[in-house]
Amino acid sequence: MKKILLFSEIFPPTHGGSGRWFSEIYGRFPSESVAFLVGASDGADAYDSQSKHPVHRYNLSSGEWGVRSLAGAKFYWRTWRKLRNTARQEGIHQVHCGRVLPEGVAALMLRISDRIPYSCYVHGEDVETALTSRELTWLTRLVMRHAEQIICNSENSFRILRDKWGLSDDKVIVMTPGVDVDHFRPDPATPKPAGWEGNINILTVGRLQRRKGQDMMIRALPDLAGQFPNINYAVIGGGEERPALERLANDLGIARHVQFMGEVDDARMAACYRHCDLFALPNRRVGNDDEGFGMVLLEAQACGRPVLAGASGGTRETLEEGVTGVLVDCTNPESIAQAVAELLRNPDRLKTMGRAGRKHVESRFSWETLAVNARELFT
Ligand SMILES: Nc1nc2c(ncn2[C@@H]2O[C@H](COP(=O)(O)OP(=O)(O)O[C@H]3O[C@H](CO)[C@@H](O)[C@H](O)[C@@H]3O)[C@@H](O)[C@H]2O)c(=O)[nH]1
């Protein structure tokens, strides 16, 4: 069996969609067929000691993804050396890169030095934002040209590669992320999160970054709080936008309706999913940054919750529109407030949607099934 090295900066215990995706899929492969070379992070030792696969950690963060600056060239040189040593030590036959940049550049160097082929994952926003710089466009194209396969997370990402990058269909495959339907499941016996009792709770999970749209939901809150005085907007996740979001809530005079919960562990997060009245990912395109797929929408549906997603990027592929959730233009707070109010006035519809959501993700997005498909594809 060919041995794969999964090479990705983002990997548990760091929170993030791609890291969860890779650990769930490759973690189900036989122990002798996979090794990991992944980003160093706090708490990694405890995580790695539970892994049945060898895990190598390396500090892959660098502000410099271009190759023309000295710092960028040095970063790729160091990263290639680490990748080459790990590949030789583990007897690797193919490298799977978590992203085209920066991981793919080091994998291309390894292909030249050691003739080990590589494939790259594409998430949507990465190949959109690369188009904003000539150097990153050139580098991305170079990495993709020499890759065996490009694996994208959604039909939406597939279309970006085909229409904006001119990639041929035979090189690109769509393999969506999934959800752990055993961990994320309805369970009314779970205690309600603190501060939720007696409130209408709307939940968003994800990094606090502009494309996720937490700001738009906060802007919709003055209108919603006028109609539902006990509304509570719970926000799970950390990120660069937190100070701006807190200021916004204060400026709008609705800070008491917004609960910033920060990063929480999976158990606490599951409790929030289970008890929210509505899960919302009010994503929108910001510049070239757009949501590629949105695993949080699968997690909420797995917990039997109705979902609202922005009508942008690949999020529509996570839900059955009108059946398990709704797609809304989240570029303005008015349309969000209107859609949320309509849903909250109809608790029976919310219940039906939640039940349908659970069935939807069970039948299409369980990791077990997706991992079997991935093994057939890769080994
Ligand atoms: N426990 C915990 N988990 C968190 C937290 N914040 C985020 N997560 C987890 O991090 C993941 C977020 O995944 P996505 O919703 O998919 O968003 P992303 O991190 O921006 O991921 C990118 O890659 C994905 C895979 O291709 C894409 O689905 C997504 O659109 C985006 O491109 C989810 O599994 C979510 O549970 C937190 O505070 N605590």
Side-chain angles (χ1 to χ4, degrees):
M1 182 180 274
K2 285 190 175 164
K3 189 167 184 181
I4 299 169
L5 182 67
L6 187 278
F7 175 38
S8 167
E9 178 188 1
I10 304 165
F11 198 73
T14 299
H15 295 139
S18 49
R20 196 190 285 275
W21 186 13
F22 304 145
S23 67
E24 293 282 0
I25 291 289
Y26 293 90
R28 286 176 166 78
F29 280 39
S31 53
E32 66 285 0
S33 66
V34 165
F36 294 108
L37 174 57
V38 290
S41 62
D42 291 345
D45 287 350
Y47 180 90
D48 299 351
S49 64
Q50 305 292 316
S51 170
K52 69 178 184 197
H53 301 98
V55 185
H56 303 259
R57 296 276 174 178
Y58 179 68
N59 186 0
L60 256 158
S61 50
S62 152
E64 299 281 348
W65 284 5
V67 284
R68 287 185 189 146
S69 72
L70 187 60
K74 274 186 177 165
F75 164 72
Y76 284 117
W77 179 258
R78 277 198 312 268
T79 307
W80 162 73
R81 282 169 60 105
K82 175 72 183 174
L83 179 61
R84 187 195 58 181
N85 292 343
T86 311
R88 288 181 179 173
Q89 181 188 338
E90 293 290 347
I92 292 301
H93 300 101
Q94 46 179 321
V95 175
H96 288 187
C97 302
R99 293 169 297 192
V100 175
L101 300 182
E103 289 91 335
V105 177
L108 172 57
M109 292 164 75
L110 183 73
R111 183 178 185 275
I112 296 166
S113 66
D114 288 39
R115 297 176 188 276
I116 297 178
Y118 67 92
S119 297
C120 291
Y121 280 83
V122 157
H123 305 274
E125 65 274 12
D126 44 0
V127 279
E128 290 267 35
T129 45
L131 287 165
T132 56
S133 139
R134 280 178 68 179
E135 186 186 3
L136 297 188
T137 302
W138 170 76
L139 210 47
T140 300
R141 210 177 273 292
L142 184 70
V143 171
M144 292 200 293
R145 186 180 312 138
H146 295 285
E148 300 292 296
Q149 278 179 323
I150 303 293
I151 307 150
C152 31
N153 59 354
S154 63
E155 294 292 340
N156 181 68
S157 303
F158 178 83
R159 278 192 294 276
I160 296 168
L161 291 177
R162 191 192 56 200
D163 300 345
K164 299 190 177 171
W165 291 88
L167 253 64
S168 65
D169 289 11
D170 53 348
K171 187 160 195 166
V172 187
I173 53 170
V174 176
M175 202 177 81
T176 70
V179 60
D180 182 340
V181 290
D182 296 324
H183 178 73
F184 295 107
R185 64 182 156 77
D187 182 5
T190 312
K192 271 199 179 175
W196 283 35
E197 199 60 56
N199 284 333
I200 295 177
N201 298 290
I202 298 182
L203 173 69
T204 297
V205 175
R207 269 197 79 71
L208 308 182
Q209 54 187 167
R210 293 196 63 213
R211 75 159 194 270
K212 304 272 185 196
Q214 294 95 344
D215 58 336
M216 281 297 169
M217 182 59 83
I218 291 174
R219 286 180 197 280
L221 278 179
D223 183 350
L224 287 166
Q227 304 177 60
F228 308 96
N230 60 341
I231 200 161
N232 176 46
Y233 179 39
V235 183
I236 290 183
E240 61 277 11
E241 285 296 308
R242 171 116 182 214
L245 292 171
E246 284 178 338
R247 252 194 329 271
L248 180 64
N250 278 321
D251 292 350
L252 293 172
I254 42 93
R256 70 194 171 85
H257 294 284
V258 186
Q259 186 183 15
F260 288 102
M261 302 181 75
E263 295 195 36
V264 303
D265 63 25
D266 272 9
R268 195 152 168 239
M269 188 169 71
C272 294
Y273 277 129
R274 284 171 187 150
H275 286 291
C276 69
D277 295 279
L278 175 67
F279 179 84
L281 180 65
N283 61 291
R284 70 187 188 283
R285 189 180 182 90
V286 178
N288 268 30
D289 196 12
D290 213 351
E291 195 63 40
F293 183 72
M295 292 165 63
V296 291
L297 291 156
L298 301 184
E299 292 164 6
Q301 290 173 90
C303 290
R305 309 319 298 154
V307 295
L308 177 154
S312 182
T315 49
R316 69 182 64 240
E317 295 171 46
T318 65
L319 54 91
E320 272 188 75
E321 198 178 351
V323 179
T324 71
V326 292
L327 283 171
V328 175
D329 169 11
C330 291
T331 57
N332 67 81
E334 294 77 24
S335 55
I336 298 178
Q338 193 185 343
V340 171
E342 258 175 49
L343 289 168
L344 294 183
R345 284 212 191 82
N346 200 339
D348 288 342
R349 183 163 183 230
L350 288 179
K351 254 188 210 148
T352 312
M353 279 182 163
R355 275 197 294 268
R358 172 74 196 176
K359 284 199 187 125
H360 168 63
V361 297
E362 264 181 328
S363 65
R364 292 198 41 200
F365 292 106
S366 107
W367 288 126
E368 300 300 337
T369 318
L370 294 170
V372 171
N373 296 346
R375 272 180 66 182
E376 277 170 16
L377 205 64
F378 299 150
T379 54

